[in-house]
């Protein structure tokens, strides 16, 4: 739903809501489609592969893939007027660009991919669109969650299978405003990444994020120009140096995966949860240590805007196993406490 019943607030954007033009009708059509119907991959041109896959139920591209977008100017993510989502990725086989859209008639996902990692991307298409997610396991126990869940039948938890791709932008978001983190991500990806493979008629300005070695070799002055302080840049460099070990976490259960990430200095529970929500599709990876989330959840479920992590976890206890989904549905409802203090001050150390 959209309009006055589903306002696009900053809280809803944080919940992963991204507008995909003309996608709503296709998502609704998927409700009548059969499960697991697919074809491909097959060649569609000299450098492209294609695949179709029909999900078992409703899939909303904007809600499912929205958490992968790092701000409206993310050079690795685009939506286009034809209802397509374009996503660039550095796969184990190399860089790739994926275009995916839902068929208006059947809700079938129609995907194309370019680059050395195209086949890897298409193999992971079902997981990316939430095939491994089980929304039926979620049972709402609060009125607000029941309403939010009912209005968003197409919400699926994506699973990219790539840890570093989600970990680095999450580290950039530590202790700063979202706008500062997005600016740093754009600058570093465009400066050290590479132009994305793809067709000439595709969106302009798409880049593939740098590889682990490139992240580790970024000089201190370019981190500074991007507005990234020494603490965050050092954490990213440490992660890049053990990237292969961190990528193994994508195949681990949540406790083991979190422990693997948090073994790196500078990576705490907040960063590991935000990463594993995307790389592993972890439905129970609740974010702790957040400045705003406990107050938002406390206010939405109990009228307590001053809730801390302990109070938040107590409120989410009935949703054990699905706490991340519950938190996302609360954020998407946009039911945040009224502001009673100025916004966090934006800074740009790159100008110093």
């Amino acid at each position: 739903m959209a309009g006055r019943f589903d306002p696009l607030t900053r809280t809803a954007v944080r919940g992963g809501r991204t507008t995909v033009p003309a996608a709503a009708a296709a998502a609704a059509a998927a409700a009548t489609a059969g499960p697991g119907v697919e074809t491909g991959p097959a060649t569609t041109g000299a450098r492209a592969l294609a695949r179709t896959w029909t999900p078992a139920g409703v899939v909303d591209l904007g809600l499912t893939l929205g958490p992968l977008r790092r701000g409206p100017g993310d050079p690795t993510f685009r939506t286009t007027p034809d209802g397509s989502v374009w996503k660039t990725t550095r796969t184990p086989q190399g860089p790739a660009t994926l275009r995916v859209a839902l068929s208006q008639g059947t809700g079938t996902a129609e995907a194309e991919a370019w680059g050395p990692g195209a086949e890897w991307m298409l193999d992971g298409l079902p997981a990316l669109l939430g095939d491994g997610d089980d929304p039926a396991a979620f049972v709402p126990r609060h009125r607000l969650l029941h309403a939010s869940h009912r209005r968003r039948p197409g919400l699926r938890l994506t699973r990219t299978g790539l840890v570093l791709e989600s970990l680095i932008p999450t580290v950039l978001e530590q202790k700063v405003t979202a706008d500062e983190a997005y600016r740093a991500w754009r600058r570093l990806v465009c400066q050290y990444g590479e132009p994305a493979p793809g067709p000439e008629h595709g969106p302009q300005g798409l880049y593939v994020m740098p590889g682990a070695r490139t992240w580790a070799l970024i000089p201190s002055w370019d981190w500074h120009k991007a507005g990234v302080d020494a603490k965050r840049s050092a954490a990213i460099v440490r992660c890049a140096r053990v990237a292969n070990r961190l990528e193994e976490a994508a195949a681990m259960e949540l406790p083991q995966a979190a422990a693997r990430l948090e073994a790196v200095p500078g990576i705490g529970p907040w960063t590991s949860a935000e990463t594993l929500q995307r790389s592993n599709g972890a439905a129970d990876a609740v974010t702790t240590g957040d400045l705003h989330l406990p107050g938002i959840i406390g206010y939405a479920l109990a009228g307590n805007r001053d809730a801390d992590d302990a109070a938040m976890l107590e409120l989410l206890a009935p949703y054990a196993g699905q706490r991340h989904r519950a938190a996302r549905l609360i954020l998407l409802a946009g039911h945040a406490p009224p502001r009673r203090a100025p916004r966090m001050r934006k800074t740009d150390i790159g100008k110093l």
Side-chain angles (χ1 to χ4, degrees):
M1 295 183 67
R4 64 191 182 95
F5 297 106
D6 199 6
L8 187 59
T9 63
R10 292 180 68 91
T11 304
V13 170
R14 178 177 175 178
R17 181 178 165 197
T18 297
T19 301
V20 178
T32 60
V37 181
E38 60 180 288
T39 64
T43 59
T44 60
R47 299 182 180 179
L49 293 176
R51 176 179 182 177
T52 61
W53 176 73
T54 302
V58 184
V59 173
D60 186 312
L61 282 183
L63 291 177
T64 301
L65 301 181
L68 303 181
R69 186 182 77 157
R70 304 293 180 157
D74 186 349
T76 70
F77 191 103
R78 290 283 192 280
T79 61
T80 51
D82 64 350
S84 298
V85 172
W86 295 73
K87 178 74 177 72
T88 71
T89 302
R90 184 169 294 279
T91 76
Q93 275 74 51
T97 300
L98 173 74
R99 183 200 70 84
V100 59
L102 295 177
S103 168
Q104 293 287 339
T106 64
T108 296
E110 300 174 346
E112 294 177 285
W114 295 261
E119 187 170 357
W120 190 95
M121 284 291 289
L122 293 178
D123 287 343
L125 179 67
L128 193 70
L129 297 183
D131 185 45
D133 183 31
D134 182 16
F138 179 77
V139 180
R141 301 179 185 275
H142 294 82
R143 181 174 296 180
L144 181 141
L145 275 167
H146 186 274
S148 183
H149 184 55
R150 185 183 68 251
R151 291 173 181 171
R152 299 169 180 86
L155 173 63
R156 296 290 182 273
L157 301 184
T158 186
R159 182 184 184 278
T160 66
L162 298 169
V163 173
L164 206 66
E165 176 185 275
S166 296
L167 180 59
I168 289 176
T170 300
V171 173
L172 292 175
E173 293 173 4
Q174 292 177 350
K175 306 295 184 181
V176 297
T177 65
D179 290 342
E180 292 173 80
Y182 296 157
R183 182 176 65 233
W185 174 248
R186 288 194 303 269
R187 182 182 181 113
L188 292 169
V189 170
C190 292
Q191 182 175 357
Y192 287 98
E194 59 188 271
E200 294 182 1
H201 64 272
Q204 301 300 306
L206 280 174
Y207 282 80
V208 179
M209 66 168 270
R213 177 174 171 79
T214 303
W215 284 111
L217 295 177
I218 294 177
S220 59
W221 53 87
D222 277 341
W223 287 112
H224 184 84
K225 289 178 181 178
V228 183
D229 57 73
K231 184 176 181 180
R232 287 180 291 153
S233 63
I236 291 175
V237 170
R238 285 191 290 266
C239 291
R241 288 173 177 169
V242 293
N244 290 338
R245 293 285 288 165
L246 295 180
E247 292 295 348
E248 294 173 359
M252 296 178 179
E253 295 297 322
L254 179 58
Q256 292 74 28
R260 175 66 60 89
L261 268 60
E262 292 169 27
V264 179
I267 307 302
W270 183 90
T271 306
S272 67
E274 290 283 321
T275 300
L276 297 173
Q277 289 164 7
R278 297 164 172 84
S279 64
N280 292 32
D284 200 45
V286 61
T287 303
T288 57
D290 192 89
L291 180 62
H292 304 291
L293 188 62
I296 293 173
I297 292 179
Y299 181 77
L301 299 185
N304 178 16
R305 64 179 300 154
D306 298 316
D308 57 10
D309 279 343
M312 176 183 71
L313 293 175
E314 184 177 354
L315 288 169
L316 293 177
Y319 303 103
Q322 294 284 318
R323 292 179 297 177
H324 167 50
R325 188 191 304 276
R328 274 201 67 190
L329 287 169
I330 292 170
L331 290 170
L332 288 166
H335 196 67
R339 184 174 296 277
R340 61 184 182 189
R343 295 186 185 277
M344 185 176 176
R345 181 173 176 267
K346 297 179 183 178
T347 59
D348 185 0
I349 65 172
K351 295 180 180 180
L352 301 178

